[in-house]
Amino acid sequence: MPHVFEVAELTRALKSVVESEFPFVWVRGQVVNLSRPGSGHVYFSLRDAEASLGVVWFKGAQAGRVTPGGERYDPLTGEVLERPLAGLLADGMEVMVAGRLTVYPPRGTYQLVAEVVQEVGAGRLWLEFEELKKRLAAKGYFDAARKRPLPPHPTRVAVVTAPTGAAVRDFIRIGRERGHGAQVRVYPTLVQGEAAPAGIVRAMLRAVADDWAEVLVLIRGGGSLEDLWAFNTEEVAKAIYAAPLPVLVGVGHEVDVTIADMVADVRAATPSHAAQLLWPERGMLAQRLDDAEMSLRRQIGSLVSLRERELAALARGLSWLSPARRLARLEDAFVVGEKRLLRAAAARLDGLSRRLDNLEARLARRFDRQSLDARDDALTRRKERITAGMRLYLADRQGRLDVAAMRLAGLDPAAPLARGYSLTTVLRTGKFLRREGDVRPGDKLDVMVYEGRVRAVVSQDGPDDGEQP
């Protein structure tokens, strides 16, 4: 069974191998990802076209050594240092770094522990690149609004490049594979060196003057910053900016970004990628065609379904508005109303019938024949008793009345008058005359008889003797 390492065990083994095999190395590269934390150490990466290496430059190794005379010098090269290079280090500088390789266990990565860092000289180009980039950006050279799309499946392509380089061969090979029916016209030029910028511009102008191509392509293989510098010049940038054709630029590798890439309408990562952007694979085109066909079918199906629903809605609306439909609705409403009326009348009749039945039942319970006969007999007997009572009462009252009449007749003052008596009143006193002494001679008397009244005067002489009063 093979030995199974623990992570720390394997890392320690690799660290031992790396440190023993590379005790001291020189490495050249471009500074990227520079970092200066508060500890004073410097961290950055060295990069070239294909790889990147982490570097740590500890604070103690940055200052060099000091001679008895007070001069600071590099202990490895003997170079006198006016000031530590760590203060001048910047992204984009190309440097030579000497040190030892080691493995950093917490991250499991290897890194270069720098002892000496020397500038190679590319830093100046990097600063020029940044200055030109800012200036062209301010003029709108990189604005996305001015970017033009590439023509789909171009058949006439002008390529400005070195005629014998690998870049043009790869470009033509891919064009032959994908660009069915397309023609490529190469405008040869230098793509490296001091004469390259002018040559690139002239080639572009020839291609524009021919007025033949649909698109203009600038390509070049990979290289260092100095090798690609022709594509970072202002004259090439202006030529691209002024080109009447869409310009596609594919220079170097993916990590290489030039001014020409930024000004171009479309940037490709590599020359081969430039050809791939112009002519997609036929399989992809077939797939896109299938996708488009399926999408078209779905859209047509959706459109047909939508129109069918709209047509059905319109038909329902038209049917709803037709006179025959309206009459049918009225007839239906009439039938419904008739049924409701009949149901209401039937319910009313049922209610009245039930109420009548109840009343009849109550009447029958309360006023049946036997009860009525009994009541009639009782009423007859009560009537007879009342009649008899009334007769007795009247007879009694009549008797009392007769007695009272007799008494009243006995008390009537006119009765004696009928028998010849009279009532005499002395007018002077207004009293009845009851005795002789009640009058005086000359008194006037009012004598009331049975029928009428008589006035008399009392004479002075009394009644004659022998005369009967």
Side-chain angles (χ1 to χ4, degrees):
M1 180 177 179
H3 176 69
V4 178
F5 287 91
E6 298 290 339
V7 176
E9 180 187 2
L10 179 58
T11 303
R12 285 194 298 271
L14 291 174
K15 178 179 176 68
S16 176
V17 171
V18 170
E19 291 180 354
S20 61
E21 291 294 328
F22 303 95
F24 191 84
V25 293
W26 282 92
V27 182
R28 176 176 177 173
Q30 188 180 34
V31 176
V32 296
N33 301 324
L34 180 65
S35 174
R36 291 189 178 87
S39 61
H41 308 319
V42 176
Y43 301 89
F44 59 91
S45 297
L46 282 178
R47 190 194 68 174
D48 60 10
E50 298 179 354
S52 178
L53 170 64
V55 180
V56 53
W57 195 8
F58 292 114
K59 182 178 179 181
Q62 298 171 13
R65 294 180 180 178
V66 181
T67 65
E71 291 181 323
R72 190 176 300 275
Y73 70 98
D74 191 310
L76 294 178
T77 64
E79 179 184 3
V80 176
L81 303 175
E82 295 182 359
R83 57 176 177 171
L85 180 59
L88 303 176
L89 208 59
D91 280 332
M93 291 179 63
E94 190 164 5
V95 296
M96 296 281 290
V97 180
R100 55 184 174 84
L101 283 180
T102 185
V103 173
Y104 186 51
R107 296 180 182 173
T109 58
Y110 80 100
Q111 62 183 2
L112 178 62
V113 179
E115 296 292 341
V116 177
V117 179
Q118 293 181 338
E119 183 181 8
V120 174
R124 178 183 55 80
L125 295 179
W126 181 263
L127 295 177
E128 292 179 4
F129 174 89
E130 290 295 328
E131 191 277 335
L132 179 59
K133 176 181 173 183
K134 292 180 181 178
R135 185 151 41 88
L136 295 182
K139 294 180 179 180
Y141 275 49
F142 309 147
D143 291 349
R146 56 162 294 275
K147 303 286 186 179
R148 294 163 293 189
L150 297 176
H153 312 289
T155 57
R156 300 184 302 277
V157 179
V159 179
V160 175
T161 187
T164 58
V168 69
R169 292 197 299 271
D170 292 340
F171 185 90
I172 293 176
R173 176 180 55 79
I174 295 174
R176 187 179 295 114
E177 294 173 355
R178 299 188 178 190
H180 181 70
Q183 299 179 35
V184 176
R185 182 177 294 180
V186 177
Y187 291 84
T189 179
L190 295 173
V191 291
Q192 179 176 342
E194 295 183 356
I200 293 172
V201 172
R202 285 195 298 273
M204 292 179 61
L205 293 177
R206 288 200 305 272
V208 171
D210 287 346
D211 195 19
W212 169 84
E214 301 172 53
V215 59
L216 186 59
V217 181
L218 270 67
I219 55 175
R220 188 207 183 280
S224 65
L225 182 62
E226 294 88 341
D227 296 338
L228 304 178
W229 192 249
F231 296 90
N232 289 321
T233 58
E234 185 172 2
E235 54 189 315
V236 173
K238 288 183 176 179
I240 296 173
Y241 183 78
L245 298 174
V247 178
L248 171 63
V249 174
V251 174
H253 302 285
E254 173 66 33
V255 296
D256 298 319
V257 180
T258 65
I259 295 294
D261 289 316
M262 301 178 189
V263 182
D265 294 292
V266 178
R267 181 211 174 219
T270 62
S272 299
H273 184 222
Q276 294 169 358
L277 291 179
L278 289 177
W279 300 294
E281 289 184 357
R282 294 176 184 176
M284 295 178 59
L285 293 177
Q287 183 176 357
R288 289 172 57 184
L289 182 60
D290 293 340
D291 294 341
E293 181 182 0
M294 289 187 292
S295 176
L296 183 61
R297 289 181 181 277
R298 287 194 298 271
Q299 293 180 10
I300 291 176
S302 300
L303 182 61
V304 170
S305 299
L306 177 62
R307 293 293 182 263
E308 288 178 348
R309 290 194 296 272
E310 293 177 351
L311 181 60
L314 292 174
R316 288 195 298 272
L318 183 61
S319 175
W320 184 260
L321 295 175
S322 69
R325 179 66 177 173
R326 186 175 182 182
L327 289 176
R329 291 198 302 275
L330 292 175
E331 185 176 357
D332 294 341
F334 177 77
V335 171
V336 172
E338 183 181 15
K339 290 181 179 179
R340 289 180 178 176
L341 183 61
L342 292 175
R343 286 197 297 270
R348 179 65 175 171
L349 290 176
D350 290 341
L352 293 175
S353 179
R354 287 193 298 271
R355 185 178 179 184
L356 181 60
D357 293 340
N358 293 331
L359 292 175
E360 287 179 353
R362 293 171 59 187
L363 186 62
R365 287 194 300 271
R366 182 170 297 180
F367 301 104
D368 56 353
R369 177 56 58 188
Q370 186 176 359
S371 176
L372 290 175
D373 293 342
R375 289 173 181 270
D376 186 55
D377 294 341
L379 183 62
T380 301
R381 290 192 297 274
R382 184 172 296 177
K383 179 179 178 183
E384 292 174 351
R385 287 197 300 271
I386 294 173
T387 301
M390 287 298 298
R391 288 176 179 170
L392 292 175
Y393 178 78
L394 291 176
D396 180 68
R397 291 302 176 183
Q398 184 64 42
R400 291 185 181 185
L401 180 61
D402 293 343
V403 172
M406 293 174 64
R407 289 179 179 177
L408 183 62
L411 296 176
D412 186 3
L417 295 181
R419 291 192 302 270
Y421 295 92
S422 63
L423 288 175
T424 303
T425 305
V426 181
L427 294 180
R428 181 177 51 82
T429 61
K431 298 181 179 178
F432 287 111
L433 177 63
R434 290 183 174 86
R435 63 193 57 92
E436 183 180 356
D438 291 337
V439 294
R440 291 177 306 185
D443 285 343
K444 294 179 180 179
L445 303 176
D446 182 23
V447 181
M448 183 173 65
V449 295
Y450 181 70
E451 291 180 353
R453 306 179 79 91
V454 177
R455 293 296 178 99
V457 178
V458 179
S459 65
Q460 291 181 351
D461 296 333
D464 294 334
D465 296 339
E467 290 184 0
Q468 295 296 323

